[in-house]
Amino acid sequence: MTNLSFFESKQRCQSLVHINRGWAIAVLSLVSVLVCNPVVASLTTQQVDEIGDLETRNALDAFESTLGDKFSEPRELGKALLLLGKAWEGINDFDTALTRANSAVELLEPLGTSALLIEALQDRSYYLYVTTGERSSYCPDRERTVELSRELENQRLLVGQLIRRSFCFDGDDLALGLRDLEEALQITVDFELGDEALAMVANARGNLFRSVEIHDRAYSAYADALKIWSAKDDTTDEFNMLHALAGEAIQMGAWELAEVHIKSMFTIDEEFGSDTTDFKFFAWFNESRMQLARRNYGEAASAIDNALNLSHTTTERKFVRDALLISAEVHLMSGDIERAQKYLSDYLGLADHESDPIYRILEDLSSSLEKVDVSGVLTAMVTLRATEAEQVYAANNARRRLLAAAHENESERLRAEILQRELALSERGLEVADAQAKLSRQATTIASLGFLLAVAASAWLAKSLRLNRKAAHTDYLTGIANRGRIFKLGFTLRDKMKRKGRAFSVVMFDLDHFKGINDTQGHAMGDEVIRKTVEAAQSVLHGGQVLGRLGGEEFIALLPGADKEEAILVAENIRAAVESADCTYGQKNLTDFTVSIGVATLEAEDNFQQLVNRADSALYSAKSAGRNRVRFADSIPTYSTGNHVTRRTPR
């Protein structure tokens, strides 16, 4: 499964219920708004319903035998062909669906540029993706849909097509995908296309960052999307974002965050789940991933058994296959070779023999697994940690090419961020290479079959092993801790202070009217204001107090050992230091920027997320009271989706 599945679902424009939770988490209801509406623009409701009710091959064949009699006008016939393509798609006959889309394109192209032609090319691209998996096959149509949307000057269509095209890029071409998303975001803002479009862009951005393992940025983007879906009570999309956030939290080793997200998934299942939803399957699936990453093999085995018992509730066979691999790995690590062999055999029964890159290795492994010495296999898996150096170096080369592309195509901000990732990855590569050199001599004595097993399981092992590598922790613009780092530190400090019976406070602050600074003074001045704000805040902090950037103009300071009075004093000093600062960029000078601040001190039952939520609510109170002031979180209600800061703050 590639990250292109963001827009790929069996019922994209018909039911908008089934969601693909592959590499990219789909936001299908919005896709319908952006790109599906033209299909049914001039067909009658009766005609649309008639095609929508065709659910068997015989019914479709019978309907199509009289297609020419029912639709004589070319555009109506083209629309009917597209709906029929989706009907064939609904019974998993993608080859026939592709044929219908091809016919629609051939029929509509001579009629000139239209939203309907864009829809036909879009559908054909999707069917080519499913049937070939080759970018050279399905991406040309995505290039065309962007060009045609520009010709039509249809901004809503253009946003959807830019996002679709962004998934034609990853690795060393990632900068091009990010460029498409930046344009989509700008159009969404300029033409006020709505919060859903903003959520879709944030979601897509998270997918791209995840594809190159920049997990803290992916997490931040998914959290932004979740804010919107939660505010709109969009249960399905909210659940999908929780699924994505859980995955990124696991990748970062942020176990408390992962637990919160997974718990929220179970809560949604309890409140909204039914026999027709796969919510519980995915909740248990993520629980098993987390427990496996933490090497809690007993808990992982129980969770993955629960997921597999619910596999009939989901149409997403990729995740069922992945669950079987997880189960095989769990039982292998527990020393139960017989059960590991069973689950590998079950996986082989579901695998796509042609497209699965590890199928042959697994097939050989499954037939010979009972002959393998368990200790030898486990030793091979440990040795595999060192052999990951080759993968890291390959990733480094991709980042270097990405950096070169960014210098050519992207803004200074994006280039700086990519450079930070490049340097961090290079350091990780050297560390792993050193480990490889030390272990390679031991590896020569390991049975070759044991090593094959390690490689075969690496599709899932690699994800858990990567958690042991140190992630990049620094915000590219300011040099302080980034969101992922500050949250990990926060959870750690909260637990440490609670154990020692000491106070712990957080100070959240946000630049006032920052959008106005960007709009009137330019983004370069805005960046300089952010740097000066950080400089002013750091001049106040001392000892073990840590400053981090949550994103944009939002910051948080962790104050271990600080009670209410000390925390308020620190906050007031930060506010005064920022208010007295000045900022110069080029010929411009700015002296009147300020911050609003919320303060919260740890209470008995607070976890770190709850503490942050209370500080965020206090910040909201400071904004509402007139800005440039400090508020403490006494008796202020919090707003939370359970796993991230939910801002309801006037800027």
Side-chain angles (χ1 to χ4, degrees):
M1 177 70 69
T2 71
N3 57 3
L4 282 162
S5 60
F6 180 83
F7 288 105
E8 323 305 4
S9 167
K10 292 182 179 179
Q11 301 167 16
R12 290 162 297 150
C13 304
Q14 290 175 300
S15 71
L16 308 178
V17 172
H18 173 73
I19 305 294
N20 192 315
R21 299 184 182 90
W23 264 100
I25 310 303
V27 187
L28 299 174
S29 56
L30 181 58
V31 174
S32 175
V33 171
L34 291 178
V35 296
C36 293
N37 285 342
V39 170
V40 296
S42 66
L43 295 184
T44 67
T45 301
Q46 181 179 355
Q47 290 171 322
V48 173
D49 289 344
E50 185 178 5
I51 297 176
D53 289 339
L54 302 173
E55 297 179 347
T56 67
R57 183 175 299 275
N58 288 339
L60 283 163
D61 286 337
F63 183 89
E64 290 185 344
S65 67
T66 61
L67 194 61
D69 298 331
K70 296 176 182 292
F71 305 98
S72 56
E73 198 276 321
R75 291 186 187 278
E76 289 186 354
L77 180 56
K79 294 169 186 175
L81 285 167
L82 292 181
L83 288 177
L84 286 166
K86 291 177 175 63
W88 285 105
E89 175 191 344
I91 62 172
N92 295 321
D93 188 340
F94 288 94
D95 289 328
T96 304
L98 175 59
T99 301
R100 300 298 175 267
N102 274 327
S103 297
V105 171
E106 293 171 2
L107 183 67
L108 295 168
E109 275 186 318
L111 303 179
T113 301
S114 67
L116 187 58
L117 176 58
I118 292 172
E119 178 70 9
L121 291 166
Q122 170 188 293
D123 281 5
R124 185 169 72 176
S125 171
Y126 166 59
Y127 300 139
L128 286 168
Y129 156 69
V130 173
T131 56
T132 71
E134 297 293 334
R135 294 188 181 188
S136 59
S137 174
Y138 57 75
C139 283
D141 279 346
R142 300 189 179 200
E143 291 284 350
R144 284 196 65 196
T145 60
V146 170
E147 295 170 3
L148 294 176
S149 297
R150 293 192 198 281
E151 287 182 25
L152 289 179
E153 298 183 351
N154 186 324
Q155 304 305 324
R156 190 172 293 277
L157 268 179
L158 179 57
V159 167
Q161 302 311 323
L162 283 168
I163 292 175
R164 291 178 64 84
R165 188 177 69 174
S166 73
F167 293 105
C168 286
F169 309 110
D170 65 7
D172 53 345
D173 291 326
L174 177 68
L176 300 177
L178 292 174
R179 183 190 62 187
D180 277 353
L181 294 181
E182 288 177 357
E183 182 181 358
L185 177 60
Q186 192 62 53
I187 293 170
T188 298
V189 172
D190 290 347
F191 290 87
E192 299 181 351
L193 298 184
D195 286 345
E196 291 91 344
L198 291 175
M200 188 170 71
V201 173
N203 189 165
R205 190 174 178 84
N207 296 334
L208 284 181
F209 279 123
R210 180 168 61 177
S211 73
V212 292
E213 299 180 39
I214 305 178
H215 296 296
D216 59 332
R217 295 293 292 163
Y219 184 95
S220 179
Y222 289 140
D224 288 340
L226 180 59
K227 291 178 185 179
I228 296 174
W229 300 131
S230 299
K232 291 186 170 294
D233 293 325
D234 189 323
T235 302
T236 300
D237 287 323
E238 181 180 356
F239 185 90
N240 292 331
M241 290 303 97
L242 289 169
H243 171 72
L245 285 165
E248 296 311 288
I250 292 169
Q251 293 287 1
M252 295 188 295
W255 307 125
E256 190 165 353
L257 280 176
E259 288 173 354
V260 169
H261 299 320
I262 294 168
K263 182 178 180 181
S264 296
M265 294 174 75
F266 278 113
T267 298
I268 287 179
D269 174 69
E270 290 172 4
E271 294 179 1
F272 303 103
S274 68
D275 293 339
T276 61
T277 64
D278 53 10
F279 290 166
K280 188 168 291 185
F281 168 83
F282 279 97
W284 282 118
F285 178 85
N286 280 285
E287 176 73 14
S288 70
R289 291 181 60 202
M290 180 183 69
Q291 297 299 345
L292 176 59
R294 300 178 78 171
R295 298 182 178 83
N296 297 329
Y297 300 121
E299 292 87 343
S302 176
I304 200 61
D305 285 347
N306 287 334
L308 287 171
N309 287 336
L310 294 164
S311 61
H312 64 281
T313 65
T314 183
T315 60
E316 306 220 23
R317 308 321 294 170
K318 174 198 180 299
F319 284 96
V320 175
R321 295 195 300 271
D322 289 346
L324 290 168
L325 273 182
I326 290 176
S327 189
E329 182 182 346
V330 166
H331 291 297
L332 178 64
M333 298 302 288
S334 301
D336 191 340
I337 294 293
E338 184 176 351
R339 293 195 71 184
Q341 184 180 29
K342 173 190 180 301
Y343 285 113
L344 280 175
S345 298
D346 290 345
Y347 173 89
L348 294 173
L350 294 177
D352 184 334
H353 300 184
E354 296 181 1
S355 64
D356 190 330
I358 63 171
Y359 174 78
R360 291 301 174 192
I361 296 175
L362 285 171
E363 187 177 46
D364 294 341
L365 179 63
S366 182
S367 62
S368 308
L369 189 57
E370 59 188 18
K371 304 175 185 177
V372 178
D373 175 67
V374 175
S375 62
V377 172
L378 297 181
T379 303
M381 287 186 170
V382 172
T383 306
L384 181 63
R385 298 174 187 271
T387 68
E388 280 196 289
E390 184 175 338
Q391 299 174 22
V392 172
Y393 281 128
N396 279 344
N397 288 333
R399 303 315 191 274
R400 292 186 184 99
R401 292 193 297 272
L402 170 58
L403 183 63
H407 274 292
E408 209 172 294
N409 299 301
E410 290 299 299
S411 64
E412 180 180 356
R413 178 177 300 186
L414 179 58
R415 290 200 300 270
E417 180 168 343
I418 295 170
L419 179 60
Q420 287 285 343
R421 304 302 175 181
E422 171 79 6
L423 294 175
L425 280 167
S426 296
E427 293 173 0
R428 297 211 301 266
L430 291 173
E431 291 172 1
V432 178
D434 183 61
Q436 183 187 28
K438 292 178 181 177
L439 289 171
S440 60
R441 291 184 294 274
Q442 304 171 20
T444 58
T445 63
I446 297 172
S448 59
L449 184 57
F451 183 73
L452 279 177
L453 176 59
V455 175
S458 65
W460 273 100
L461 273 174
K463 293 184 179 180
S464 59
L465 296 178
R466 279 194 293 268
L467 298 176
N468 296 316
R469 293 193 234 129
K470 183 178 179 181
H473 297 319
T474 304
D475 176 64
Y476 68 92
L477 181 62
T478 62
I480 62 177
N482 61 20
R483 182 188 184 97
R485 175 60 173 167
I486 203 70
F487 265 76
K488 290 173 75 173
L489 284 173
F491 282 112
T492 300
L493 286 173
R494 177 265 181 195
D495 292 345
K496 183 177 180 180
M497 294 300 102
K498 191 172 180 65
R499 283 196 305 271
K500 293 185 174 183
R502 298 181 61 194
F504 179 43
S505 300
V506 299
V507 171
M508 288 189 64
F509 56 100
D510 184 300
L511 277 158
D512 297 324
H513 302 298
F514 184 70
K515 184 177 184 300
I517 295 174
N518 275 335
D519 291 345
T520 60
Q521 304 293 324
H523 288 277
M525 175 63 87
D527 287 351
E528 192 62 27
V529 167
I530 287 175
R531 293 189 191 97
K532 288 294 183 181
T533 300
V534 167
E535 183 180 310
Q538 285 182 314
S539 71
V540 172
L541 300 179
H542 58 82
Q545 297 171 347
V546 185
L547 182 64
R549 185 181 178 197
L550 295 177
E553 68 273 28
E554 301 170 286
F555 305 88
I556 186 170
L558 309 181
L559 311 180
D563 59 15
K564 173 181 177 180
E565 288 72 21
E566 183 179 351
I568 291 176
L569 178 60
V570 170
E572 284 289 358
N573 289 339
I574 290 175
R575 186 201 61 76
V578 174
E579 186 179 31
S580 62
D582 61 8
C583 182
T584 301
Y585 185 84
Q587 301 300 315
K588 298 179 180 180
N589 184 260
L590 189 65
T591 61
D592 59 347
F593 54 94
T594 61
V595 292
S596 298
I597 304 181
V599 182
T601 298
L602 188 68
E603 296 181 350
E605 301 304 319
D606 278 348
N607 60 34
F608 179 67
Q609 184 66 60
Q610 290 167 329
L611 179 63
V612 170
N613 290 340
R614 292 197 298 109
D616 187 54
S617 294
L619 172 55
Y620 172 79
S621 177
K623 289 278 191 180
S624 299
R627 300 180 176 83
N628 191 24
R629 62 197 67 211
V630 174
R631 286 290 182 270
F632 187 75
D634 279 334
S635 303
I636 296 174
T638 62
Y639 302 91
S640 172
T641 61
N643 48 24
H644 65 281
V645 176
T646 300
R647 179 55 45 79
R648 289 167 169 77
T649 304
R651 298 297 181 195

